[in-house]
Amino acid sequence: LDLLEITEDFAPRTKYILARSQKEVYESQGKVGSKYWVEQYKVAASKMLDSMSERTLQTCIIPPNVTHINGVISVAFNNTSRIAEYAGLTHSICLDFFLKSLGVSNLYESRIGSFPLGINSKFLPDLLVRTLRLNCLTKYYACLWEDLYQDEFIYKEWSISDPRQSPFSMIGRNWDFLSSPLKNAFERRIALVEIDVIVSMALGIPLNDLLNMYLIQFSVMQKFENDTWYDQNGKIVFTINSQGLKGVGIDRKEWNQIKGMKAGETYDHTITKSELYYGKKVTYYAPFDKCDRVEDYKRAWAHFEKVFAEKEGEKA
């Protein structure tokens, strides 16, 4: 999906329809607190695990009145802040590393129950705002956003200064389609990098161990990072990850022809390898660059060391 093209009421299509009445489905799934499970926000994960893929643990928040088949496993909480905290923790490579190391092929309830929860409160605002901006993409997440919004969110800063990132100062208590979600690929990647660092710090994992996790267990991600290029609007122009990002960017032959374009130059591309966007024209803005995750981790670590040290100072 191209998040820059969706509308605020977008919902993914599905090949499944209810085999029973809605009432029967709701009642069959039981309740969490006073509400039916189906009526809750939930953190959903792919149940089948592949330790050799880019990411083994793949999670997202799904909105109320959405259910799923057995290929997905999900968890709901009475406390909505736990939903965003749990989602943020599971977005990190720290818990992903844990699963990769175990070599398990399925994610079961017992394994989910072993994940940490309840990190020090000083880490929560930075984790929550990035998690919410990654997940709250449409109006169906407005209630979650507004329930968990904190006034200090607008004072947060990115660890990397780049105009492709939408500033935190733009967001507000009311969910807004134009300013609340992160949509371009560049800023979404940076948010995930920062979540990795925040979670590492919250779990007491040193920077060197975080770097070793990435360098030892995430070879596929390294390959993709080393050959994924972004334009000046944050779009992916070319990526070696052609299977996971079907139809995103241009092919190698085109890329070799345009990769040296200078600032101010543009390239128009017509999409031919995507069912959803076939025939759509996309303009890429030069110059094009790629990211270095190791250096980004180091930069983010220095940034958050300062942020959390200041919080400790305020408490003192």
Side-chain angles (χ1 to χ4, degrees), residues 204-244:
I205 300 170
L207 173 60
N208 283 342
D209 288 350
L210 172 63
L211 297 179
N212 286 332
M213 285 181 190
Y214 172 64
L215 294 172
I216 293 170
Q217 283 282 25
F218 293 86
S219 57
V220 176
M221 184 188 292
Q222 291 173 54
K223 182 175 71 172
F224 294 159
E225 287 262 317
N226 290 337
D227 211 2
T228 296
W229 298 77
Y230 301 85
D231 82 342
Q232 292 304 300
N233 284 343
K235 293 180 181 177
I236 293 176
V237 187
F238 172 78
T239 178
I240 196 174
N241 186 12
S242 57
Q243 286 300 110

Side-chain angles (χ1 to χ4, degrees), residues 148-178:
L148 298 184
Y149 182 84
Q150 299 179 24
D151 291 336
E152 66 177 282
F153 283 177
I154 62 171
Y155 302 110
K156 299 303 176 185
E157 294 182 351
W158 294 104
S159 62
I160 299 167
S161 179
D162 193 289
R164 289 171 284 191
Q165 299 166 171
S166 55
F168 291 97
S169 59
M170 290 175 56
I171 65 177
R173 179 169 298 278
N174 295 322
W175 179 87
D176 179 75
F177 181 63
L178 296 178

Side-chain angles (χ1 to χ4, degrees), residues 46-58 96-97 99-107 217-218 220-221:
S46 176
K47 195 171 184 179
M48 294 290 290
L49 304 175
D50 182 2
S51 61
M52 301 305 293
S53 63
E54 179 183 8
R55 291 297 300 261
T56 298
L57 181 59
Q58 302 179 81
D96 200 330
F97 175 84
L99 281 184
K100 283 182 182 288
S101 301
L102 292 175
V104 294
S105 58
N106 275 280
L107 189 59
Q217 283 282 25
F218 293 86
V220 176
M221 184 188 292

Side-chain angles (χ1 to χ4, degrees), residues 62-79:
I62 57 176
N65 303 309
V66 172
T67 185
H68 54 76
I69 60 170
N70 290 336
V72 172
I73 187 169
S74 63
V75 58
F77 296 88
N78 283 323
N79 185 335

